[in-house]
Amino acid sequence: LGRTIPSYYQILEKSLRPNDPNSLLKNELLRKYIKEISKTKNHVHFAGQCTDSGVFAHTKFLKPMFEVAREENITKVYVHCFLMSMSRPASTYLKDVDNEVPVNGPDVVIGSIHSSDTSLDKNRDWSKTAVSFKAMVDPKHANISKRKNAEKFLDELCKKSPSPKFKPLLLDENS
């Protein structure tokens, strides 16, 4: 008695199927930009929600993006994680990113971590969003931390609030 309209997540879920015509692995726009970047650099940055909620995003969508990067000769990928309301320790969301790296994939590094307060512009408030943007382009606008220390800090914050507010964390790659 009516038709079912797939949710945004269901459409994205379908894009994980390698043989689907709308597969992320075949996404022309993604390939075009990564190919263009690979002409001058051997690294790429991906920024977005690191979540397992599956409403608008999920860490499992990173794997085909990492695979496209590998196929286009990108050797390093920086992931900038925007943390949403968290139902488990923050460190586990970062480990989810690590788990999506394919065998023989590019070197994947979590470049920065951001709270939903500064990274997701729900109210079109540039002054808040600018905090995350500036942190990604200029380290003086972020707290610099080793990953292990950042995970411990965030896990403690999450015990107090599922959506903690914090200054963006730029992770020291040498940690």
Side-chain angles (χ1 to χ4, degrees):
L1 292 173
R3 68 178 202 185
T4 304
I5 298 177
S7 71
Y8 185 65
Y9 179 77
Q10 288 171 315
I11 294 167
L12 286 173
E13 181 77 24
K14 198 173 172 190
S15 75
L16 292 174
R17 299 178 195 151
N19 296 326
D20 191 277
N22 296 316
S23 167
L24 273 172
L25 291 171
K26 298 174 186 172
N27 186 290
E28 291 177 25
L29 193 59
L30 176 64
R31 285 195 174 275
K32 173 186 171 189
Y33 285 109
I34 291 179
K35 187 181 288 272
E36 191 63 33
I37 290 167
S38 72
K39 291 177 185 175
T40 57
K41 298 180 178 161
N42 65 348
H43 65 274
V44 68
H45 295 256
F46 294 143
Q49 294 179 36
C50 289
T51 180
D52 62 349
S53 68
V55 177
F56 298 108
H58 199 291
T59 53
K60 67 183 174 184
F61 298 113
L62 285 169
K63 189 170 194 162
M65 294 168 67
F66 294 155
E67 290 174 0
V68 170
R70 179 192 65 216
E71 290 170 11
E72 297 299 337
N73 300 314
I74 296 293
T75 57
K76 184 170 272 190
V77 175
Y78 293 93
V79 178
H80 303 279
C81 295
F82 303 162
L83 297 178
M84 298 294 297
S85 182
M86 294 170 272
S87 58
R88 54 192 171 105
S91 59
T92 62
Y93 293 94
L94 305 180
K95 289 179 177 93
D96 287 348
V97 173
D98 296 335
N99 292 336
E100 294 303 328
V101 180
V103 176
N104 299 319
D107 183 22
V108 175
V109 175
I110 302 222
S112 62
I113 306 168
H114 306 259
S115 74
S116 61
D117 185 53
T118 61
S119 60
L120 301 169
D121 194 3
K122 298 175 197 158
N123 300 314
R124 297 185 177 171
D125 184 351
W126 174 247
S127 65
K128 283 186 170 185
T129 308
V131 173
S132 279
F133 173 76
K134 288 177 181 176
M136 285 190 274
V137 297
D138 187 347
K140 74 179 181 186
H141 295 285
N143 287 330
I144 298 174
S145 177
K146 293 186 183 305
R147 177 167 170 174
K148 188 175 182 179
N149 295 342
E151 288 179 356
K152 185 177 177 182
F153 166 75
L154 292 169
D155 286 349
E156 287 301 315
L157 275 181
C158 286
K159 289 177 183 175
K160 299 173 186 167
S161 167
S163 296
K165 296 179 182 180
F166 56 92
K167 186 175 180 180
L169 300 169
L170 187 62
L171 299 191
D172 178 2
E173 194 176 336
N174 299 317
S175 57

